[in-house]
Amino acid sequence: MALKILGTGSALPEKIVTNDDLAQVVDTSDEWIRSRTGIEARHLSTGETTTELSVRASRLALEMAGVDAETIDLIIVGTVSPDTYFPSTACCVQAAIGAVNAVAFDINAACSGFMFGMEIAASYFSKGSAKRALIIGAEVLSRVMDWTDRGTCVLFGDGAGAAIVESREDGLWELVQGSDGAKGEALICKNRPIQNPYYKEADKVDYTHMDGQAVFKFAVRTVPAAIKQAMEKAGVEDGDVKYYLLHQANIRIIESVAKRLTGGDSLEKFPTILQKCGNISAGSVPILLDYANREGMLSEGDKIVMAGFGAGLTWAAAVMEF
Ligand code: ACO
């Protein structure tokens, strides 16, 4: 059972914050951020919610696919920054777009969320429980950043990407995924404190903490290995791949993965949007997919690789035909 992408969409908050803008509020510089990460700017929410961005992206994907929201059987949102504990973002999206026949739920796989969502959809398709799905990766990460911690707040951005996918008998869908919970502390944001009549934790709101070097090492080792495995499973070689659409965390991670996969320094097959968006966790792969799609870079039948990796730790690499 394979997946077919019928349409894609994405949405970013209106407010663009450049590295120079950030240098006005935290002790950093354009030179530091650009040289270590490749990031030049990011979009930050000035009120746009995770649900609103998801809905905007979904409407664009539905429009491109030319299908009615009522024909969607399954809605999955990958997010670590929902507006509410419950209901899920997926249920809020369902209500907003009128996808009355869908089953809807969120998953937390951080930057791998969109990829994990695609695999869940593939499983539903294989079982015959769904035929058409809306998969979203969406974040308002600015709400979980410590805006006094220059080591993290400069890296991330807000936004959402969506894809309408359908099951098909022929075609390609091979995915390799994994998790390493033992390294979870490398990238962590704690929930609100436990407070009840019998127990009171300190009343402290927590924000994102990251061991940047540990995450960097994990990414450059695990991602190329997972991609190679997925390509082997699919019987696909580098020469067959039109584009590698990687999670947009850091240009140096992408360059390193590119080198390990293709042996060269060229990023031609590794499109990037992180310069303008920063790292949008679960949003980054579907936003990049939508960008490539709308730029006319993808044609039917093109073989593409997509890979997500991040907190958990989690990772997933997939090979599919566009
Ligand atoms: N501006 C200026 N200086 C800074 C900044 C900043 N924004 N952030 C940190 N520094 C300083 C530190 O204080 C430190 O100063 P010191 O030497 O005087 O103590 C110095 O820069 C080096 O700090 P490191 O944290 O060691 O910086 P490093 O070279 O490791 O780069 C970075 C940090 C860019 C985060 C790097 O570790 C990295 O790329 N990691 C990958 C992690 C990543 O991309 N995470 C994204 C989320 S996870 C994911 O999506 C997969």
Side-chain angles (χ1 to χ4, degrees):
M1 185 66 64
L3 300 179
K4 166 119 191 104
I5 295 173
L6 299 181
T8 59
S10 57
L12 296 168
E14 228 173 272
K15 173 94 179 152
I16 298 170
V17 178
T18 65
N19 293 343
D20 283 332
D21 294 334
L22 265 191
Q24 315 265 326
V25 290
V26 280
D27 181 14
T28 190
S29 66
D30 177 53
E31 195 281 322
W32 194 98
I33 302 171
R34 206 184 275 251
S35 62
R36 282 181 177 70
T37 70
I39 297 165
E40 296 164 16
R42 72 286 295 143
H43 293 244
L44 296 181
S45 170
T46 52
E48 295 98 333
T49 64
T50 306
T51 299
E52 277 167 34
L53 293 167
S54 300
V55 169
R56 271 171 50 196
S58 300
R59 289 203 168 115
L60 290 168
L62 283 165
E63 193 180 296
M64 185 189 282
V67 301
D68 247 14
E70 289 179 14
T71 67
I72 304 291
D73 306 312
L74 177 65
I75 302 175
I76 302 174
V77 179
T79 184
V80 293
S81 51
D83 305 320
T84 45
Y85 285 118
F86 42 82
S88 66
T89 310
C91 283
C92 297
V93 171
Q94 176 193 27
I97 64 173
V100 290
N101 296 307
V103 166
F105 55 88
D106 290 0
I107 54 166
N108 177 338
C111 312
S112 314
F114 178 76
M115 304 305 304
F116 278 35
M118 292 281 273
E119 178 68 350
I120 295 169
S123 306
Y124 271 65
F125 293 165
S126 292
K127 211 184 154 210
S129 332
K131 283 205 167 118
R132 191 174 280 171
L134 166 60
I135 314 297
I136 301 165
E139 306 288 2
V140 176
L141 291 171
S142 56
R143 61 168 31 125
V144 291
M145 288 302 133
D146 175 354
W147 287 94
T148 63
D149 176 11
R150 64 182 181 172
T152 50
C153 71
V154 303
L155 304 174
F156 297 92
D158 301 331
I164 307 285
V165 294
E166 200 169 65
S167 76
R168 66 168 174 189
E169 293 298 330
D170 56 335
L172 203 53
W173 175 257
E174 291 294 349
L175 178 133
V176 168
Q177 62 186 156
S179 307
D180 184 359
K183 298 206 180 81
E185 297 276 333
L187 188 49
I188 184 165
C189 178
K190 291 187 181 149
N191 206 330
R192 61 169 71 167
I194 300 170
Q195 294 194 340
N196 60 42
Y198 313 101
Y199 184 78
K200 284 225 180 326
E201 241 172 27
D203 198 357
K204 187 171 168 288
V205 178
D206 196 43
Y207 294 99
T208 302
H209 307 275
M210 182 180 70
D211 176 346
Q213 285 168 18
V215 173
F216 193 92
K217 278 185 204 146
F218 147 70
V220 298
R221 282 183 195 146
T222 311
V223 179
I227 291 176
K228 277 185 188 160
Q229 274 178 38
M231 287 169 64
E232 265 169 41
K233 268 175 85 178
V236 162
E237 294 183 353
D238 173 49
D240 306 318
V241 176
K242 182 85 179 282
Y243 289 113
Y244 295 86
L245 304 177
L246 302 191
H247 169 49
Q248 303 285 292
N250 184 311
I251 196 73
R252 292 185 303 142
I253 294 176
I254 296 172
E255 282 166 356
S256 168
V257 174
K259 200 165 202 160
R260 286 174 200 226
L261 285 175
T262 64
D265 287 328
S266 166
L267 285 188
E268 240 170 58
K269 289 167 89 169
F270 294 77
T272 54
I273 49 163
L274 62 82
Q275 294 82 353
K276 305 278 174 248
C277 302
N279 178 348
I280 312 181
S281 191
S284 97
V285 173
I287 294 171
L288 179 63
L289 174 68
D290 183 51
Y291 163 79
N293 194 11
R294 285 176 193 269
E295 286 292 305
M297 294 159 63
L298 297 169
S299 309
E300 194 159 348
D302 281 347
K303 293 187 177 64
I304 56 172
V305 168
M306 294 189 283
F309 45 95
L313 301 173
T314 60
W315 61 93
V319 184
M320 74 179 296
E321 254 165 23
F322 188 73

